[in-house]
Tab-separated table of all heavy atoms in Angstrom:
chain	number	residue	atom	x	y	z
A	289	GLU	N	-124.243	-73.524	-17.448
A	289	GLU	CA	-125.137	-72.417	-17.854
A	289	GLU	C	-124.511	-71.001	-17.532
A	289	GLU	O	-123.665	-70.864	-16.692
A	289	GLU	CB	-126.414	-72.543	-16.914
A	289	GLU	CG	-127.413	-73.493	-17.541
A	289	GLU	CD	-128.797	-73.415	-16.946
A	289	GLU	OE1	-128.825	-72.820	-15.762
A	289	GLU	OE2	-129.764	-73.908	-17.511
A	290	GLY	N	-124.988	-70.019	-18.255
A	290	GLY	CA	-124.478	-68.700	-18.081
A	290	GLY	C	-124.844	-68.062	-16.740
A	290	GLY	O	-124.041	-67.269	-16.198
A	291	GLN	N	-125.857	-68.508	-16.142
A	291	GLN	CA	-126.321	-67.873	-14.846
A	291	GLN	C	-126.800	-69.104	-13.918
A	291	GLN	O	-127.201	-70.101	-14.364
A	291	GLN	CB	-127.351	-66.821	-14.903
A	291	GLN	CG	-128.616	-67.422	-15.579
A	291	GLN	CD	-129.695	-66.287	-15.761
A	291	GLN	OE1	-129.379	-65.103	-15.575
A	291	GLN	NE2	-130.994	-66.674	-16.076
A	292	ALA	N	-126.558	-68.824	-12.555
A	292	ALA	CA	-127.001	-69.870	-11.687
A	292	ALA	C	-128.458	-70.006	-11.648
A	292	ALA	O	-129.251	-69.094	-11.750
A	292	ALA	CB	-126.466	-69.481	-10.238
A	293	SER	N	-128.953	-71.206	-11.325
A	293	SER	CA	-130.407	-71.581	-11.276
A	293	SER	C	-130.602	-72.734	-10.364
A	293	SER	O	-129.584	-73.267	-9.845
A	293	SER	CB	-130.951	-71.854	-12.641
A	293	SER	OG	-130.371	-72.997	-13.227
A	294	TRP	N	-131.816	-73.207	-10.202
A	294	TRP	CA	-132.051	-74.448	-9.464
A	294	TRP	C	-131.404	-75.624	-10.013
A	294	TRP	O	-130.838	-76.612	-9.396
A	294	TRP	CB	-133.549	-74.765	-9.344
A	294	TRP	CG	-134.269	-75.120	-10.590
A	294	TRP	CD1	-134.887	-74.215	-11.412
A	294	TRP	CD2	-134.294	-76.438	-11.177
A	294	TRP	NE1	-135.469	-74.981	-12.444
A	294	TRP	CE2	-135.077	-76.269	-12.347
A	294	TRP	CE3	-133.758	-77.591	-10.786
A	294	TRP	CZ2	-135.328	-77.373	-13.240
A	294	TRP	CZ3	-133.998	-78.728	-11.690
A	294	TRP	CH2	-134.823	-78.541	-12.814
A	295	LEU	N	-131.049	-75.536	-11.334
A	295	LEU	CA	-130.403	-76.632	-12.082
A	295	LEU	C	-128.965	-76.647	-11.524
A	295	LEU	O	-128.340	-77.740	-11.265
A	295	LEU	CB	-130.458	-76.468	-13.531
A	295	LEU	CG	-130.087	-77.620	-14.471
A	295	LEU	CD1	-131.112	-78.701	-14.294
A	295	LEU	CD2	-129.985	-77.113	-15.917
A	296	THR	N	-128.297	-75.519	-11.362
A	296	THR	CA	-126.978	-75.514	-10.874
A	296	THR	C	-126.863	-75.944	-9.457
A	296	THR	O	-126.020	-76.682	-9.064
A	296	THR	CB	-126.454	-73.993	-11.054
A	296	THR	OG1	-126.582	-73.503	-12.230
A	296	THR	CG2	-124.980	-73.901	-10.529
A	297	LEU	N	-127.810	-75.553	-8.605
A	297	LEU	CA	-127.789	-75.901	-7.249
A	297	LEU	C	-127.975	-77.444	-7.112
A	297	LEU	O	-127.269	-78.150	-6.282
A	297	LEU	CB	-128.894	-75.212	-6.457
A	297	LEU	CG	-128.758	-73.746	-6.229
A	297	LEU	CD1	-130.144	-73.117	-5.721
A	297	LEU	CD2	-127.576	-73.424	-5.437
A	298	THR	N	-128.856	-77.980	-7.885
A	298	THR	CA	-129.016	-79.452	-7.879
A	298	THR	C	-127.863	-80.244	-8.363
A	298	THR	O	-127.524	-81.320	-7.906
A	298	THR	CB	-130.337	-79.880	-8.669
A	298	THR	OG1	-131.457	-79.103	-8.105
A	298	THR	CG2	-130.677	-81.313	-8.437
A	299	ALA	N	-127.202	-79.605	-9.384
A	299	ALA	CA	-125.975	-80.325	-9.844
A	299	ALA	C	-124.838	-80.352	-8.810
A	299	ALA	O	-124.198	-81.402	-8.697
A	299	ALA	CB	-125.534	-79.531	-11.112
A	300	LEU	N	-124.775	-79.304	-8.026
A	300	LEU	CA	-123.831	-79.259	-6.925
A	300	LEU	C	-124.172	-80.346	-5.858
A	300	LEU	O	-123.323	-80.948	-5.213
A	300	LEU	CB	-123.782	-77.915	-6.320
A	300	LEU	CG	-123.210	-76.711	-7.179
A	300	LEU	CD1	-123.326	-75.470	-6.530
A	300	LEU	CD2	-121.739	-77.151	-7.658
A	301	VAL	N	-125.549	-80.504	-5.639
A	301	VAL	CA	-125.977	-81.511	-4.667
A	301	VAL	C	-125.487	-82.906	-5.134
A	301	VAL	O	-125.092	-83.776	-4.377
A	301	VAL	CB	-127.427	-81.498	-4.494
A	301	VAL	CG1	-127.963	-82.685	-3.703
A	301	VAL	CG2	-127.884	-80.203	-3.690
A	302	VAL	N	-125.743	-83.144	-6.505
A	302	VAL	CA	-125.468	-84.436	-6.985
A	302	VAL	C	-123.861	-84.693	-6.816
A	302	VAL	O	-123.391	-85.831	-6.461
A	302	VAL	CB	-125.871	-84.532	-8.485
A	302	VAL	CG1	-125.280	-85.765	-9.167
A	302	VAL	CG2	-127.390	-84.633	-8.590
A	303	ILE	N	-123.104	-83.707	-7.239
A	303	ILE	CA	-121.696	-83.838	-7.232
A	303	ILE	C	-121.247	-84.140	-5.698
A	303	ILE	O	-120.423	-84.969	-5.378
A	303	ILE	CB	-120.914	-82.595	-7.743
A	303	ILE	CG1	-121.149	-82.565	-9.252
A	303	ILE	CG2	-119.485	-82.675	-7.437
A	303	ILE	CD1	-120.659	-81.288	-9.931
A	304	SER	N	-121.788	-83.367	-4.813
A	304	SER	CA	-121.574	-83.531	-3.310
A	304	SER	C	-121.824	-84.967	-2.936
A	304	SER	O	-121.075	-85.524	-2.079
A	304	SER	CB	-122.339	-82.551	-2.481
A	304	SER	OG	-121.930	-81.204	-2.827
A	305	ALA	N	-123.050	-85.516	-3.435
A	305	ALA	CA	-123.331	-86.882	-2.959
A	305	ALA	C	-122.306	-87.765	-3.599
A	305	ALA	O	-122.021	-88.908	-2.825
A	305	ALA	CB	-124.750	-87.153	-3.612
A	306	LEU	N	-121.795	-87.647	-4.781
A	306	LEU	CA	-120.842	-88.567	-5.322
A	306	LEU	C	-119.525	-88.632	-4.534
A	306	LEU	O	-118.914	-89.565	-4.249
A	306	LEU	CB	-120.474	-88.191	-6.697
A	306	LEU	CG	-121.705	-88.557	-7.726
A	306	LEU	CD1	-121.412	-87.998	-9.147
A	306	LEU	CD2	-121.966	-89.990	-7.830
A	307	VAL	N	-119.138	-87.266	-4.059
A	307	VAL	CA	-117.918	-87.197	-3.293
A	307	VAL	C	-118.120	-87.922	-1.862
A	307	VAL	O	-117.291	-88.659	-1.394
A	307	VAL	CB	-117.596	-85.750	-2.966
A	307	VAL	CG1	-116.455	-85.590	-2.080
A	307	VAL	CG2	-117.248	-85.059	-4.322
A	308	LEU	N	-119.275	-87.718	-1.274
A	308	LEU	CA	-119.538	-88.280	-0.008
A	308	LEU	C	-119.610	-89.873	-0.181
A	308	LEU	O	-119.175	-90.637	0.732
A	308	LEU	CB	-120.929	-87.781	0.579
A	308	LEU	CG	-120.852	-86.343	1.105
A	308	LEU	CD1	-122.288	-85.902	1.489
A	308	LEU	CD2	-119.909	-86.247	2.241
A	309	GLN	N	-120.158	-90.387	-1.349
A	309	GLN	CA	-120.235	-91.708	-1.538
A	309	GLN	C	-118.815	-92.389	-1.599
A	309	GLN	O	-118.586	-93.467	-1.081
A	309	GLN	CB	-120.992	-92.039	-2.921
A	309	GLN	CG	-121.078	-93.587	-3.237
A	309	GLN	CD	-121.811	-94.322	-2.126
A	309	GLN	OE1	-123.066	-94.190	-2.036
A	309	GLN	NE2	-121.140	-95.122	-1.514
A	310	ILE	N	-117.931	-91.699	-2.234
A	310	ILE	CA	-116.519	-92.237	-2.319
A	310	ILE	C	-115.889	-92.154	-0.853
A	310	ILE	O	-115.220	-93.065	-0.486
A	310	ILE	CB	-115.731	-91.309	-3.346
A	310	ILE	CG1	-116.260	-91.537	-4.661
A	310	ILE	CG2	-114.213	-91.688	-3.160
A	310	ILE	CD1	-115.638	-90.554	-5.733
A	311	TRP	N	-116.332	-91.100	-0.120
A	311	TRP	CA	-115.810	-91.064	1.268
A	311	TRP	C	-116.317	-92.148	2.086
A	311	TRP	O	-115.511	-92.736	2.867
A	311	TRP	CB	-116.326	-89.665	1.859
A	311	TRP	CG	-115.559	-89.247	3.024
A	311	TRP	CD1	-114.548	-89.929	3.830
A	311	TRP	CD2	-115.781	-88.066	3.805
A	311	TRP	NE1	-114.188	-89.165	4.821
A	311	TRP	CE2	-114.903	-88.008	4.884
A	311	TRP	CE3	-116.670	-86.985	3.551
A	311	TRP	CZ2	-114.922	-87.014	5.807
A	311	TRP	CZ3	-116.597	-85.976	4.597
A	311	TRP	CH2	-115.739	-85.946	5.672
A	312	THR	N	-117.528	-92.625	1.860
A	312	THR	CA	-118.034	-93.778	2.658
A	312	THR	C	-117.197	-95.020	2.285
A	312	THR	O	-117.122	-95.926	3.222
A	312	THR	CB	-119.554	-93.961	2.459
A	312	THR	OG1	-119.764	-94.333	1.037
A	312	THR	CG2	-120.313	-92.736	2.766
A	313	TRP	N	-116.870	-95.206	1.034
A	313	TRP	CA	-116.164	-96.388	0.652
A	313	TRP	C	-114.731	-96.481	1.394
A	313	TRP	O	-114.286	-97.542	1.570
A	313	TRP	CB	-115.925	-96.387	-0.843
A	313	TRP	CG	-117.212	-96.671	-1.652
A	313	TRP	CD1	-118.296	-97.315	-1.088
A	313	TRP	CD2	-117.455	-96.394	-2.977
A	313	TRP	NE1	-119.313	-97.321	-2.182
A	313	TRP	CE2	-118.746	-96.738	-3.247
A	313	TRP	CE3	-116.738	-95.702	-3.947
A	313	TRP	CZ2	-119.317	-96.650	-4.545
A	313	TRP	CZ3	-117.323	-95.525	-5.213
A	313	TRP	CH2	-118.604	-95.987	-5.502
A	314	VAL	N	-114.204	-95.336	1.687
A	314	VAL	CA	-112.852	-95.441	2.406
A	314	VAL	C	-112.993	-95.275	3.840
A	314	VAL	O	-111.985	-95.185	4.576
A	314	VAL	CB	-111.937	-94.315	1.836
A	314	VAL	CG1	-111.722	-94.532	0.343
A	314	VAL	CG2	-112.500	-92.897	2.078
A	315	THR	N	-114.197	-95.276	4.286
A	315	THR	CA	-114.472	-95.332	5.739
A	315	THR	C	-114.951	-96.649	6.234
A	315	THR	O	-115.748	-97.371	5.555
A	315	THR	CB	-115.605	-94.294	6.122
A	315	THR	OG1	-115.229	-92.968	5.616
A	315	THR	CG2	-115.800	-94.202	7.676
Side-chain angles (χ1 to χ4, degrees):
E289 278 192 342
Q291 59 182 11
S293 67
W294 67 263
L295 197 65
T296 304
L297 293 173
T298 307
L300 293 175
V301 168
V302 169
I303 291 173
S304 299
L306 291 174
V307 172
L308 290 173
Q309 179 61 70
I310 295 171
W311 195 0
T312 64
W313 288 338
V314 298
T315 304

